[in-house]
Amino acid sequence: MSSENKKKEGIVPEPSLRRMPCYLAYLKLAKRRNQEYVSSTHIARDMGVDPTQVTKDLSYTSIVGKTRVGYEVNTLIDVLEDFLGFRKLDKAYLFGAGSLGNALLHDHGLDQYGLKIVAAFDIDPKVVGRTIEGVPILHVSEFEKMKDKNVEVGILTVPAEFAQDVAQQMARGGIKGIWNFTPIRIRLAEDCVVQDTSLYAHLAVMFNRMSNIKK
Amino acid sequence: MSSENKKKEGIVPEPSLRRMPCYLAYLKLAKRRNQEYVSSTHIARDMGVDPTQVTKDLSYTSIVGKTRVGYEVNTLIDVLEDFLGFRKLDKAYLFGAGSLGNALLHDHGLDQYGLKIVAAFDIDPKVVGRTIEGVPILHVSEFEKMKDKNVEVGILTVPAEFAQDVAQQMARGGIKGIWNFTPIRIRLAEDCVVQDTSLYAHLAVMFNRMSNIKK
DNA sequence: TTTTATTAAGGATTATTTTCTTTAATGGAA
DNA sequence: TTCCATTAAAGAAAATAATCCTTAATAAAA
Ligand SMILES: NC(=O)c1ccc[n+]([C@@H]2O[C@H](COP(=O)([O-])OP(=O)(O)OC[C@H]3O[C@@H](n4cnc5c(N)ncnc54)[C@H](O)[C@@H]3O)[C@@H](O)[C@H]2O)c1
Ligand SMILES: NC(=O)c1ccc[n+]([C@@H]2O[C@H](COP(=O)([O-])OP(=O)(O)OC[C@H]3O[C@@H](n4cnc5c(N)ncnc54)[C@H](O)[C@@H]3O)[C@@H](O)[C@H]2O)c1
């Protein structure tokens, strides 16, 4: 009888999820300052957000705060990292070892946040066969043969015109989550999550806000 | 009498701004297929969004659609690129030439979307003085002396603990828009825009949605 | 011990964003 | 020509998210 509700219940709003890594970063700085407890009031003041928004966001996790004291910093860090999936390391394939793909391959920061690129795929003979930062670049045709059940995340950095096709290929190959850096909206079956991260979109917002200020 | 309203009026909602680069990408593909006109109905169907959302979003620009026909593809591309600020090239400084900063320096895609990194700043003697992809890496102390009025955009890729300080330095040096890749919420005066782009936030959302599907 | 100030948490209210509905226009078919 | 199907655009309604308000708890001060 609650199966229709089940869909909604347990669903965390995207705005809240997006703020959580910010709280995490703030807490890590607080830990360095040897703070044992930190209250939503202080988090909110320091971060320039609303205090009740902080408690609401954190209430989606299992953390319980102490009245008049706040949240235990160490516990909250653990809870958040766990909740956000930053603790376990997900293996990922990268599709499209071009300019942006190369940039991501050169970046070591992601390892600390639960993501490890184990192989890259491309079609350009000039890059296929090479190795970047220890990650082999294979031809996309190799992907079909691999079917590694341990790799569920795919990073999509191919040119826009191939985005939809490659995404479908990824889904067929068992990829369950696509981190999509192209500005294309991917249409796929329900069992594959597509997370859009358009850098251009952020640039567009920044340019617009800048021109607003100049009146 | 309308000065209180002036603040609101002309303000484009962030969700709309974020969708616009997607429309642009879609239109460029349509142009390649030699489509002269494209309607909101078709854009919406292909992209998996609501048709009225498309018209609402596009109504923030100067474009006017033709009843029963749609929008002229070429005009809409021009209008959108102009509206989003992708036409004129903004010069940018990069602060923090570490793993992510290097990645951005190696990436040539941004040039096409209105952003050109002309110099990078760091404090690490191991990188200061070097050149990456033609971009010189200078010591941050050099920034103070430069005061180049033509550079209004700053890219922030320093470790979290220095983010606030470096951001303040940037604002003092005349930077009007900070593209913030750190997970820290920057607190600054009103005349400097801060655009947060936390890759971790997107990862967090993707991991969460993936675990939801697994039930 | 009593009071005070601060807090988490839950519910109510307000603001924002999305979706639905209606209207008027118009190219193309009959 | 007349009708029909499709569209942009504007306004209404619904859904979602942010903010405000209240309550109960409790450390610290008096
Ligand atoms: N470069 C950026 O700054 C940037 C920023 C945001 C988004 N993007 C988007 O990311 C995507 C890639 O951008 P880029 O600048 O790296 O382009 P790019 O042309 O440098 O790289 C694309 C790579 O994908 C490969 N490729 C093409 N078809 C393929 C296929 N079927 N399977 C696997 N690989 C294939 C190409 O050989 C090439 O190496 C584009 O959609 C772009 O819009 C780029
Ligand atoms: N690497 C990633 O994948 C990634 C993704 C998202 C966000 N981030 C964020 O981006 C930031 C940088 O990450 P990273 O992995 O590149 O770290 P990093 O340590 O590799 O690079 C940081 C660089 O900043 C320099 N620096 C330090 N203090 C400075 C100062 N005062 N002025 C100028 N430069 C200074 C350091 O010398 C170093 O070169 C962090 O805040 C991180 O959270 C990183």
Side-chain angles (χ1 to χ4, degrees), chain B residues 39-41 56 65 67-68 70-71:
Chain B
S39 73
S40 62
T41 322
K56 271 233 166 67
T67 294
R68 256 273 352 201
Y71 305 91

Side-chain angles (χ1 to χ4, degrees), chain A residues 4-62:
Chain A
E4 303 95 276
N5 263 11
K6 269 278 156 57
K7 240 190 298 175
K8 275 249 112 170
E9 124 192 348
I11 264 274
V12 183
E14 184 159 333
S16 298
L17 280 174
R18 278 209 297 253
R19 280 188 294 266
M20 286 184 191
C22 299
Y23 299 139
L24 185 57
Y26 175 88
L27 288 161
K28 284 180 173 178
L29 293 187
K31 182 179 180 161
R32 265 206 218 182
R33 292 193 302 265
N34 295 312
Q35 287 182 250
E36 199 180 344
Y37 286 91
V38 65
S39 73
S40 61
T41 322
H42 286 121
I43 298 176
R45 180 167 34 68
D46 293 348
M47 291 180 56
V49 297
D50 190 89
T52 57
Q53 190 169 66
V54 177
T55 55
K56 273 235 164 65
D57 287 344
L58 296 183
S59 73
Y60 291 111
T61 73
S62 59

Side-chain angles (χ1 to χ4, degrees), chain A residues 107-110, chain B residues 95-101 121-124 127 140 157-160 162 166 181-183 199-200:
Chain A
D107 174 29
H108 297 285
L110 293 175
Chain B
F95 292 78
S99 185
L100 182 60
F121 298 97
D122 207 298
I123 47 161
D124 187 345
V127 296
V140 269
T157 49
V158 299
F162 306 120
V166 174
F181 282 84
T182 80
L199 299 184
Y200 307 146

Side-chain angles (χ1 to χ4, degrees), chain B residues 193-208:
Chain B
V193 173
V194 180
Q195 178 61 41
D196 296 326
T197 298
S198 176
L199 299 184
Y200 307 146
H202 287 111
L203 259 188
V205 175
M206 184 174 69
F207 288 153
N208 180 270

Side-chain angles (χ1 to χ4, degrees), chain A residues 95-101 121-124 127 140 156-160 162 166 169 181-183 198-200, chain B residues 107-110 113:
Chain A
F95 293 78
S99 185
L100 183 60
F121 298 97
D122 208 297
I123 47 163
D124 187 345
V127 296
V140 269
L156 187 59
T157 50
V158 300
F162 306 120
V166 174
Q169 221 174 315
F181 282 83
T182 81
S198 176
L199 298 184
Y200 308 146
Chain B
D107 173 30
H108 296 285
L110 293 176
Y113 286 81

